[in-house]
């Protein structure tokens, strides 16, 4: 019996030893204006009555600072109450089924009519009879949509220490583009960052450039009942025009993870975007007080240039003019009888972070260039679609459907300008005569000091027709002025292109005139002699 008694005593000591450092106390820190009337204090004196409540959670009544203080916590209806974080609870016990429940209140004081905040259960064990053996929770409560908070913690027979919570609504990060600051603001508190990460994306996305990398974050305590949260990124310099905010994750209309763009606004060096908990931009698509995001601001590589299928498909090509992230593309090809014809894709949308660009194709009709009347121009309905899929900044695949025919072409930049050391103004763009010449225009592509110009216009049968000036020379009296460029117009005849295998041996090139271009900033005067017709066009850069 003595041995049994000694063993029993040892077992009892072992069972009690984990509780040797356990403590029971409650601590509060109230902001000025908190309506609960609890104030700020810490106390272990008094009686703690702890029970399982009707929500399946834990309720505590503390009588050490009369009137009694109640602390009620519970999970969403029908869920287990386990240790972990609980965001945007509603007032206990009336919280809706899809929200956790919480309220910290003092008898004789008005209770919260509405409530938000968060709590974190750090300790929860039960006795064999189902009563509470130990409990610990830290909380932040905002009553009646107010900013003042009541923060604190409860420990009942718990060895988990209490540490005042830290809150971060602004996080600094180092990126390839320089130091940035990511911040969050919301109509109600708390809404702050739980996790943040700044990720270098310079090698993973070769066409798009993410100068400030990808930033991933989890913000918690963002109650959708009080509106959306605004996230801001302070940059070292203003974000360039044409940047897109690309995010990766599910969206309400496509629950599979994919790239998509989110609107943003700019003010000086600051860019801001808005995300509603559970809505577009929130990666978990759930109204749970937590907003998750993975994305970054991208700038396109310079894709503007002449593109072609290489020497094996000499004779046709495509100009890509670029304003920011918008591409204006014109395909210069040949009709079924070998006559030159052009198709235009004046815009489109990006799929993924600047990897493929898709838009409608048009084959307009209009009066001949020598008797042009903009009121006779008719763009017509789209005749198909095209996608330019960039594998890198110098290589792409052009896929198209025009009418009942489809095809694919591997394309690269066409090298036409020999390198030089001249300091040239940039004349590369789409040029047009404003509304007076809408429907036709000039594609001027530039490599170093060389200009490659295509006039896309119409012939006497009102069909699209193009003429090319594949080079030339600067003819200014001052050899360094580079304001007047002259070259020869050529008319080509080639292999049928749409839905056909291209035969470069059918290419015929005939000189048919001259072009002289006088540039003055964003304006220009083009003097031409073409197919027996002469004229002068006053042009400007075409906005798109």
């Amino acid at each position: 019996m003595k041995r049994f008694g000694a063993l029993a005593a040892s077992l009892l000591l072992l069972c009690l030893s984990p509780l040797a450092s356990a403590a029971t106390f409650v601590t509060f820190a109230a902001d000025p204006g908190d309506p609960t009337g609890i104030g700020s204090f810490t106390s272990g004196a008094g009686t703690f009555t702890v029970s399982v409540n009707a929500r399946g959670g834990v309720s505590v009544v503390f009588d050490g600072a009369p009137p009694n203080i109640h602390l009620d916590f519970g999970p969403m209806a029908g869920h287990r109450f386990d240790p972990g974080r609980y965001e945007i609870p509603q007032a206990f016990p009336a919280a809706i089924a899809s929200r956790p429940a919480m309220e910290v209140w003092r008898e004789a004081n008005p209770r919260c009519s509405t409530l938000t905040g968060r709590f974190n259960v750090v300790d929860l064990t039960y006795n064999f009879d189902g009563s509470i053996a130990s409990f610990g929770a830290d909380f932040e409560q905002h009553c009646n949509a107010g900013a003042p908070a009541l923060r604190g913690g409860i420990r009942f027979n718990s060895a988990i220490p209490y540490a005042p919570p830290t809150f971060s609504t602004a996080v600094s990060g180092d990126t390839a583009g320089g130091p940035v600051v990511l911040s969050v603001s919301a109509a109600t508190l708390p809404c702050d960052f739980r996790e943040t990460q700044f990720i270098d994306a310079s090698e993973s996305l070769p066409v798009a450039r993410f100068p400030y990398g990808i930033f991933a974050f989890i913000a918690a305590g963002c109650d959708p009942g009080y509106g959306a949260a605004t996230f801001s990124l302070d940059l070292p310099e203003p974000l360039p025009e044409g940047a897109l905010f690309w995010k990766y994750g599910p969206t309400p209309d496509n629950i599979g993870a994919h790239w998509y763009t989110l609107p943003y606004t700019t003010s000086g060096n600051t860019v801001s975007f808005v995300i509603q908990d559970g809505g577009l931009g929130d990666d978990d698509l759930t109204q749970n007080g937590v907003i998750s995001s993975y994305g970054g601001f991208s700038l396109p590589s310079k894709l503007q240039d002449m593109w072609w299928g290489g020497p094996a498909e000499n004779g046709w090509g495509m100009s890509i003019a670029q304003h920011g992230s918008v591409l204006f593309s014109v395909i210069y090809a040949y009709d079924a009888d070998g006559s030159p014809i052009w198709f235009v894709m004046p815009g489109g949308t990006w799929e993924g972070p600047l990897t493929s660009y898709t838009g409608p194709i048009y084959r307009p009709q209009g009066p001949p260039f020598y008797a042009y009347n903009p009121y006779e121009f008719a763009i017509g309905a789209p005749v198909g679609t095209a996608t330019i899929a960039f594998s890198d900044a110098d290589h792409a695949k052009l896929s198209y459907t025009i009418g009942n025919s489809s095809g694919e072409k591997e394309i690269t930049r066409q090298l036409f300008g020999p390198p030089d050391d001249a300091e040239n103004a940039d004349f590369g763009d789409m040029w047009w005569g404003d509304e007076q010449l809408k429907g036709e225009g000039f594609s001027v592509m530039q490599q170093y000091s060389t200009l490659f110009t295509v006039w896309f216009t119409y012939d006497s049968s009102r069909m699209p027709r193009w003429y090319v000036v594949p080079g030339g020379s600067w003819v200014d009296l001052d050899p360094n002025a580079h304001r007047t460029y002259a070259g020869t117009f050529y008319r080509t005849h080639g292999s049928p292109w749409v839905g056909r295998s291209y035969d470069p041996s059918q290419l015929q090139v005939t000189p048919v005139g001259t072009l002289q271009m006088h540039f003055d900033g964003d304006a220009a005067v083009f003097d031409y002699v073409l197919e027996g017709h002469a004229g002068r066009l006053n042009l400007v850069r075409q906005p798109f």
Side-chain angles (χ1 to χ4, degrees), residues 384-397:
T385 60
T387 296
I388 310 170
F390 296 92
S391 55
D392 58 38
D394 298 316
H395 301 83
K397 176 183 288 187

Side-chain angles (χ1 to χ4, degrees), residues 222-295:
C222 308
D223 193 331
Y226 297 93
T230 298
F231 298 88
S232 299
L233 196 67
D234 295 330
L235 306 174
E237 58 187 16
L239 195 66
E241 180 184 357
L244 297 174
F245 179 34
W246 284 102
K247 279 185 44 63
Y248 185 78
T251 54
D253 59 349
N254 182 357
I255 61 173
H258 61 286
W259 288 101
Y260 64 97
T261 57
L262 200 66
Y264 68 90
T265 59
T266 62
S267 177
N269 292 11
T270 301
V271 291
S272 302
F273 55 96
V274 174
I275 299 179
Q276 175 86 23
D277 179 34
L280 181 66
D282 182 8
D283 291 350
D284 63 16
L285 295 179
T286 303
Q287 288 194 345
N288 56 4
V290 178
I291 296 175
S292 302
S293 178
Y294 181 97

Side-chain angles (χ1 to χ4, degrees), residues 2-18:
K2 289 182 179 179
R3 289 184 178 180
F4 179 80
L7 178 60
S10 298
L11 289 173
L12 180 61
L13 179 61
L14 288 173
C15 291
L16 293 177
S17 60

Side-chain angles (χ1 to χ4, degrees), residues 91-151:
F92 179 91
I96 62 175
S98 60
R99 293 284 192 92
M102 175 184 80
E103 187 174 5
V104 180
W105 55 285
R106 188 171 218 156
E107 294 179 6
N109 281 24
R111 297 179 64 173
C112 300
S113 57
T114 61
L115 178 151
T116 191
R118 57 162 68 110
F119 63 92
N120 183 22
V121 178
V122 297
D123 185 11
L124 178 59
T125 62
Y126 296 88
N127 295 311
F128 288 113
D129 62 0
S131 60
I132 304 299
S134 65
F135 177 66
D138 303 329
F139 60 87
E140 177 177 353
Q141 173 178 284
H142 296 259
C143 274
N144 308 330
L150 176 66
R151 301 181 180 93

Side-chain angles (χ1 to χ4, degrees), residues 299 437 476:
L299 304 175
L437 293 175
D476 305 86

Side-chain angles (χ1 to χ4, degrees), residues 231-535:
F231 298 88
S232 299
L233 196 67
D234 295 330
L235 306 174
E237 58 187 16
L239 195 66
E241 180 184 357
L244 297 174
F245 179 34
W246 284 102
K247 279 185 44 63
Y248 185 78
T251 54
D253 59 349
N254 182 357
I255 61 173
H258 61 286
W259 288 101
Y260 64 97
T261 57
L262 200 66
Y264 68 90
T265 59
T266 62
S267 177
N269 292 11
T270 301
V271 291
S272 302
F273 55 96
V274 174
I275 299 179
Q276 175 86 23
D277 179 34
L280 181 66
D282 182 8
D283 291 350
D284 63 16
L285 295 179
T286 303
Q287 288 194 345
N288 56 4
V290 178
I291 296 175
S292 302
S293 178
Y294 181 97
F297 292 92
S298 70
L299 304 175
S301 298
K302 185 177 180 182
L303 303 172
Q304 178 168 297
D305 216 334
M306 287 301 303
W307 294 72
W308 70 329
E313 298 209 354
N314 183 34
W316 78 272
M318 178 175 66
S319 63
I320 298 179
Q322 179 179 359
H323 289 181
S325 59
V326 180
L327 306 184
F328 189 114
S329 306
V330 184
I331 300 171
Y332 310 102
Y334 302 96
D335 214 342
D337 63 357
S339 300
I341 191 170
W342 54 271
F343 303 92
V344 61
M345 184 171 75
T349 56
W350 286 101
E351 178 69 24
L354 307 178
T355 54
S356 64
Y357 195 76
T358 300
I361 293 178
Y362 297 87
R363 185 178 60 190
Q365 292 185 330
F369 67 88
Y370 52 83
Y372 200 79
N373 182 347
Y375 298 104
E376 297 179 27
F377 161 69
I379 191 170
V383 296
T385 60
T387 296
I388 310 170
F390 296 92
S391 55
D392 58 38
D394 298 316
H395 301 83
K397 176 183 288 187
L398 171 64
S399 303
Y400 66 87
T401 297
I402 298 176
N404 297 321
S405 300
S406 299
E408 291 183 347
K409 300 286 187 180
E410 297 291 339
I411 58 176
T412 62
R413 294 179 188 265
Q414 182 175 354
L415 302 180
F416 59 84
D420 58 43
D421 296 328
E423 295 183 1
N424 299 299
D426 185 3
F427 302 111
D429 213 336
M430 301 300 297
W431 294 79
W432 72 327
D434 207 343
E435 293 296 321
Q436 298 303 313
L437 293 175
K438 67 178 181 181
E440 69 166 5
F442 287 80
S443 164
V444 179
M445 297 292 108
Q446 181 173 351
Q447 293 179 6
Y448 300 98
S449 296
T450 304
L451 304 184
F452 191 116
T453 304
V454 185
W455 188 359
F456 50 99
T457 183
Y458 308 93
D459 62 17
S460 58
S461 63
R462 300 178 54 84
M463 294 300 294
R465 173 67 60 90
W466 55 273
Y467 299 91
V468 59
V469 182
S473 60
W474 295 99
V475 295
D476 305 86
L477 293 177
D478 179 356
N480 297 315
H482 285 196
R483 289 293 180 267
T484 302
Y485 195 81
T488 300
F489 267 124
Y490 294 90
R491 182 183 67 236
T492 59
H493 190 280
S495 172
W497 188 84
V498 177
R500 307 284 190 89
S501 296
Y502 187 78
D503 180 2
S505 67
Q506 297 185 33
L507 178 63
Q508 302 173 24
V509 181
T510 304
V512 290
T514 60
L515 176 66
Q516 195 167 85
M517 300 176 283
H518 314 273
F519 295 100
D520 184 11
D522 293 334
V525 175
F526 284 22
D527 292 315
Y528 69 87
V529 176
L530 179 62
E531 302 268 33
H533 302 277

